[in-house]
Amino acid sequence: MLKLYNTLSKSKEEFKPIHKGKVSIYTCGPTVYDFAHIGNLRAYTAADVLRRYLEYSGYEVRQIKNITDVGHLTADDIAQADTGEDKMVKAVRREKKTPEEIANFYTEAFHRDEDAMNILRSHFFPKATAHIPQMIKMIQTLIEKGHAYEKNGNVFYDVTSFKDYGKLSGNTLDNLKVGARLEEHPDKLHPWDFALWLKAPADHILQWDSPWSRGYPGWHIECSAMSIEYLGDTLDIHTGGEDHIFPHHEAEIAQSEGATGKKFSNFWLHNRFLLVNGEKMSKSKGNFYILKDIIDKGFDPMHLRLFYLSSHYRKQADFSWPALEQAKANFERIAEWRNKLQEIAKSGDSISTMEIESPGIAEFQAALDDDLNTPLALSHLYELITETNKRISENKLSAEEIKEILATFEKMNKVFGLRFSEKETEIPKEIKKIAEDRLTARGKKDFQKSDEMRKEIEKMGFEIEDLDEKYKIRRK
Ligand code: AMP
Ligand code: ZN
């Protein structure tokens, strides 16, 4: 029985989907004004493990991850997030590109990062800019229902109109009164009201017509509008990092429940932060690494993935290079073990048979059933490795048993999502030749030829991943 910690009830609850056998997940996605840092990737990996385990458990999952290409605002520590300079606008100025170019570039970079991390692609990545009409419609409903008001072309959510405000974060209006830091806006009725629509100054680069003004939406409304558009009024699970609990997710609940009158999400899962030297990794503090930094230091994204899996998503994790080295060593141990088993299984060598104890799948499941306890699940894998290595050295395992252990591992790995590069010898020479020629073509920026060669490789049953001045080939 799967139990998940629900931020809403502040307890572990048995997971039950709304529709039998199906699960809807909404994951707050990136603001595409810069590269994702590895703290963000921890959040997306945590959501990926959730999805993988639900699929492993037999559910059909539909996951939506939004792309924020409107931009929310740089004052990300300011609780209401509706003042300050727009992140997209800042990037436009920095890179001298159009907002669309910025968004496209960083959306592609985000997909590449997720692919490199072996994060399963969400079923859809709706863009905020393509859903302005849905947001406007929802804002209109909120005004009609008395949850929002317009002043001077700006529209705000009236937090006093929603009796459950604070139910997710504990930031009820009474609690908020005490010593909270916030930005005033002259048109707000109450300091904790938040923006649904803001009138744009004439030179604001992203603006749309609306019944209230030419302007742009607040950050929170996009997730409410898009999750309802693609997953219906009530979700099974909403995920995000702990900093999104307030104000973002509290605001999403107020908007969605205010508009539909129904519960917005049954489960709220929040990962805790990735830290560096005890501090939250964040863009604004400048203490962050992106995936390229990790690769440039000679690590594989799978080392980072194993580093993430080695701590529970609901505990803070401290990033350091020695910790990543440790994850690398563990990854190599798993990879070598897997290779060895594959070789024995193929050769059919080892003869003497002896019953192997349960290869640990029940313990593995029990660990994940307990709020996705990946470190515990991994420890069962490490036990399996130690045990099989011992028995192999004693020549006590048959090829058949080894095959069974391998199958168990591949099953577990559907959830861990570790990707192993095929051994060089297993990539046919003709494929390697095309890959080398393709690298040369890419170097000459002959992308048409390089695309043709990629297709050729794919036709032969392999896939190729581009890395900086390198590539990786694996069997499809
Ligand atoms: P943002 O682009 O700021 O909206 O962040 C994208 C996702 O990463 C959100 O779910 C955040 O909560 C999450 N996040 C941001 N910083 C960290 C961090 N240091 N550790 C873990 N998750 C984070
Ligand atoms: Zn969101």
Side-chain angles (χ1 to χ4, degrees), residues 338-375:
R338 178 176 171 268
N339 275 341
K340 184 163 71 183
L341 295 199
Q342 279 177 339
E343 267 161 34
I344 305 177
K346 242 190 261 158
S347 68
D349 269 358
S350 174
I351 325 132
S352 55
T353 314
M354 191 173 178
E355 279 287 289
I356 181 151
E357 283 158 30
S358 143
I361 202 84
E363 292 88 338
F364 163 86
Q365 275 171 215
L368 291 167
D369 274 343
D370 184 13
D371 194 28
L372 307 169
N373 192 337
T374 52

Side-chain angles (χ1 to χ4, degrees), residues 28-31 33 37-44 72 76 87 219 239-244 271-275 280-282:
C28 284
T31 310
Y33 69 103
H37 61 61
I38 61 169
N40 304 137
L41 292 177
R42 181 185 200 208
Y44 306 134
H72 53 93
D76 44 359
K87 285 176 176 174
W219 167 35
T239 77
E242 59 176 317
D243 54 341
H244 277 186
N271 64 279
R272 298 209 65 194
F273 288 140
L274 183 69
L275 310 177
K280 177 196 173 189
M281 179 176 289
S282 76

Side-chain angles (χ1 to χ4, degrees), residues 80-193:
Q80 293 306 79
D82 52 16
T83 51
E85 193 183 18
D86 189 295
K87 285 176 176 174
M88 288 298 288
V89 175
K90 213 174 155 193
V92 163
R93 200 167 306 133
R94 181 182 71 218
E95 301 189 17
K96 302 191 174 46
K97 290 183 186 163
T98 65
E100 206 187 356
E101 283 167 340
I102 298 272
N104 288 342
F105 178 84
Y106 288 111
T107 302
E108 281 313 307
F110 164 72
H111 287 314
R112 274 201 305 276
D113 282 354
E114 281 211 320
D115 290 350
M117 292 300 296
N118 215 15
I119 292 172
L120 297 174
R121 284 219 175 186
S122 290
H123 299 90
F124 194 49
F125 293 91
K127 291 180 179 180
T129 51
H131 296 80
I132 303 291
Q134 287 88 336
M135 297 184 215
I136 289 177
K137 196 165 154 252
M138 190 175 233
I139 298 171
Q140 278 173 319
T141 306
L142 288 170
I143 294 175
E144 280 160 26
K145 294 198 169 181
H147 288 299
Y149 57 92
E150 184 263 345
K151 204 169 171 203
N152 297 324
N154 299 310
V155 185
F156 294 97
Y157 191 99
D158 175 358
V159 291
T160 64
S161 73
F162 186 65
K163 69 172 177 21
D164 284 341
Y165 193 77
K167 73 174 169 181
L168 183 72
S169 62
N171 284 336
T172 55
L173 295 178
D174 281 345
N175 289 342
L176 279 170
K177 275 183 203 145
V178 191
R181 191 178 142 222
L182 80 166
E183 281 286 300
E184 294 292 347
H185 188 293
D187 294 336
K188 277 185 189 177
L189 284 181
H190 319 97
W192 287 101
D193 291 353

Side-chain angles (χ1 to χ4, degrees), residues 166-398:
K167 73 174 169 181
L168 183 72
S169 62
N171 284 336
T172 55
L173 295 178
D174 281 345
N175 289 342
L176 279 170
K177 275 183 203 145
V178 191
R181 191 178 142 222
L182 80 166
E183 281 286 300
E184 294 292 347
H185 188 293
D187 294 336
K188 277 185 189 177
L189 284 181
H190 319 97
W192 287 101
D193 291 353
F194 57 87
L196 297 170
W197 188 264
L198 289 166
K199 185 176 168 182
D203 61 347
H204 196 276
I205 41 176
L206 286 166
Q207 44 177 287
W208 293 265
D209 283 325
S210 80
W212 316 287
S213 61
R214 246 189 102 68
Y216 56 96
W219 167 35
H220 315 306
I221 193 73
E222 77 173 80
C223 288
S224 285
M226 297 200 288
S227 63
I228 287 179
E229 174 84 5
Y230 295 102
L231 298 172
D233 290 348
T234 306
L235 295 167
D236 285 304
I237 308 174
H238 196 310
T239 77
E242 59 176 317
D243 54 341
H244 277 186
I245 298 173
F246 188 85
H248 187 46
H249 291 163
E250 195 69 68
E252 281 187 35
I253 291 178
Q255 293 165 158
S256 301
E257 299 191 0
T260 67
K262 295 181 201 151
K263 189 173 185 185
F264 178 41
S265 181
N266 284 339
F267 280 79
W268 287 88
L269 263 61
H270 293 100
N271 64 279
R272 298 209 65 194
F273 288 140
L274 183 69
L275 310 177
V276 194
N277 298 326
E279 266 199 287
K280 177 196 173 189
M281 179 176 289
S282 76
K283 280 272 151 60
S284 51
K285 289 201 189 94
N287 60 348
F288 64 90
Y289 299 106
I290 61 172
L291 192 56
K292 186 175 180 303
D293 299 325
I294 303 294
I295 295 169
D296 285 351
K297 284 243 185 189
F299 291 98
D300 186 286
M302 288 304 100
H303 303 154
L304 184 61
R305 188 168 175 111
L306 190 58
F307 165 78
Y308 292 148
L309 296 172
S310 307
S311 54
H312 190 246
Y313 78 95
R314 219 154 40 72
K315 290 216 167 82
Q316 292 180 332
D318 221 321
F319 177 79
S320 67
W321 295 108
L324 195 58
E325 281 292 348
Q326 182 58 54
K328 179 181 177 182
N330 290 340
F331 181 80
E332 284 169 356
R333 181 172 172 230
I334 301 171
E336 276 164 26
W337 171 77
R338 178 176 171 268
N339 275 341
K340 184 163 71 183
L341 295 199
Q342 279 177 339
E343 267 161 34
I344 305 177
K346 242 190 261 158
S347 68
D349 269 358
S350 174
I351 325 132
S352 55
T353 314
M354 191 173 178
E355 279 287 289
I356 181 151
E357 283 158 30
S358 143
I361 202 84
E363 292 88 338
F364 163 86
Q365 275 171 215
L368 291 167
D369 274 343
D370 184 13
D371 194 28
L372 307 169
N373 192 337
T374 52
L376 187 57
L378 272 177
S379 74
H380 295 308
L381 170 62
Y382 295 140
E383 281 162 23
L384 179 64
I385 293 178
T386 309
E387 180 67 16
T388 31
N389 280 343
K390 188 168 149 261
R391 291 188 180 220
I392 289 170
S393 68
E394 294 166 355
N395 208 21
K396 280 184 183 163
L397 282 177
S398 71

Side-chain angles (χ1 to χ4, degrees), residues 415-429:
V415 184
F416 293 137
L418 298 171
R419 187 180 47 217
F420 300 93
S421 49
E422 296 299 336
K423 281 198 302 182
E424 280 290 296
T425 49
E426 288 175 8
I427 311 286
K429 271 202 206 94

